Amino acid sequence: MAGTDFPDDLRAAQTRLHRATAELAALCRKLPWSVEPLPGRPGTTHPHTGHVTAGRADSPGWTEEEKRAVARLRTECVELSLLISTHGYWYRFEAEERVRARSELKDVTRRAATPPHGITEAA
């Protein structure tokens, strides 16, 4: 197995990929449910309790700045994924061993990429 002798550039790319995907997920959770402005829909009222479920408020859509931020993070994730998956380091392994080494890289870099609890990077 590769151990922890991954090249520095590969470690850095994987760490950044963890962070970029976390930033993208955090950003998307904050955005309105629709990219374009759309009307919401009323929920369903339970006949016995009156509790309303599954409704959705109007979506104002995303701003141009939000669209650019999402596009930038998605592009960065794709580029980093390509850089990592085509890195010359992987050619030293047979297919099954490559999968194990790839998983190990994700595991060892995930800890470095995780910010302290409750703190996230801004997109």
Side-chain angles (χ1 to χ4, degrees):
M1 179 50 91
T4 55
D5 63 343
F6 298 108
D8 290 341
D9 63 329
L10 185 56
R11 279 178 174 269
Q14 182 64 60
T15 299
R16 180 60 197 142
L17 179 57
H18 287 306
R19 289 183 178 148
T21 55
E23 287 175 37
L24 179 59
L27 175 61
C28 288
R29 281 192 298 272
K30 294 177 185 178
L31 294 174
W33 60 268
S34 175
V35 176
E36 300 302 325
L38 286 177
R41 61 177 184 267
T44 304
T45 304
H46 190 279
H48 303 293
T49 65
H51 182 70
V52 179
T53 58
R56 188 170 262 188
D58 292 350
S59 173
W62 296 0
T63 65
E64 290 304 314
E65 182 181 332
E66 290 167 335
K67 290 176 185 177
R68 283 191 299 274
V70 169
R72 178 186 59 78
L73 285 167
R74 286 181 176 162
T75 299
E76 183 177 8
C77 289
V78 169
E79 289 172 353
L80 286 165
S81 295
L82 286 170
L83 176 77
I84 293 163
S85 63
T86 60
H87 195 282
Y89 177 77
W90 304 121
Y91 295 112
R92 67 175 67 182
F93 301 102
E94 294 298 323
E96 187 176 313
E97 199 61 25
R98 189 177 307 136
V99 171
R100 285 192 197 109
R102 180 77 178 94
S103 293
E104 183 180 348
L105 174 66
K106 289 179 184 180
D107 289 342
V108 299
T109 55
R110 188 171 287 117
R111 288 185 290 277
T114 305
H117 183 66
I119 299 173
T120 57
E121 281 188 45

